[in-house]
Amino acid sequence: MITQGHGCLGVGLALYKDAEGNQYNVALFTMADQGDGVHLVSFLSSHANSFEVAVHVPPTDSGLRRLPTDSGRVQNFAANGHGVVVGSAQWSDGRSTDLDKLSDQLSPLTNAVIKNVPT
């Protein structure tokens, strides 16, 4: 979808964990055209169970567990100006239950990131 629009100028990736060790991935895409970001978020939101951004594998010395590829995961999306944020989260134990609660924990992080993207 990015290549069908005006393209992406760059991507920033970050991996976070909370006090319980749950892992949060954030990808920030800087779109060439603001309209592409809105369109992209609309499409991704309507396909929330289709994971288009891979989970970041923590570096060996990071202290984070490498979770199984089949562990439960949630994601959400936000756009502001030229920025598109794709956030995803996984429980520290890799379980696939209580995903609504995990999504509730992801939303504040994604919202904080997108609020700090220059317009």
Side-chain angles (χ1 to χ4, degrees):
M1 288 192 65
I2 289 173
T3 59
Q4 293 171 358
H6 293 91
C8 179
L9 303 174
V11 179
L13 305 171
L15 178 61
Y16 301 90
K17 73 172 187 167
D18 62 18
E20 290 81 37
N22 303 315
Q23 295 182 18
Y24 304 87
N25 293 270
V26 176
L28 171 61
F29 297 87
T30 303
M31 307 303 292
D33 183 270
Q34 290 183 3
D36 287 347
V38 172
H39 175 70
L40 188 60
V41 167
S42 294
F43 177 82
L44 291 172
S45 296
S46 67
H47 297 86
N49 292 325
S50 176
F51 296 98
E52 302 298 332
V53 177
V55 171
H56 311 127
V57 177
T60 304
D61 60 350
S62 69
L64 294 173
R65 281 187 58 213
R66 291 186 179 201
L67 297 172
T69 56
D70 62 346
S71 63
R73 181 164 71 136
V74 296
Q75 62 183 354
N76 66 17
F77 317 96
N80 184 27
H82 289 271
V84 172
V85 172
V86 178
S88 66
Q90 295 172 284
W91 292 118
S92 61
D93 59 7
R95 72 182 181 265
S96 295
T97 58
D98 300 322
L99 294 179
D100 287 340
K101 182 178 177 185
L102 183 60
S103 185
D104 290 344
Q105 292 178 200
L106 171 62
S107 294
L109 174 61
T110 306
N111 291 337
V113 171
I114 200 64
K115 284 181 185 176
N116 286 293
V117 172
T119 55

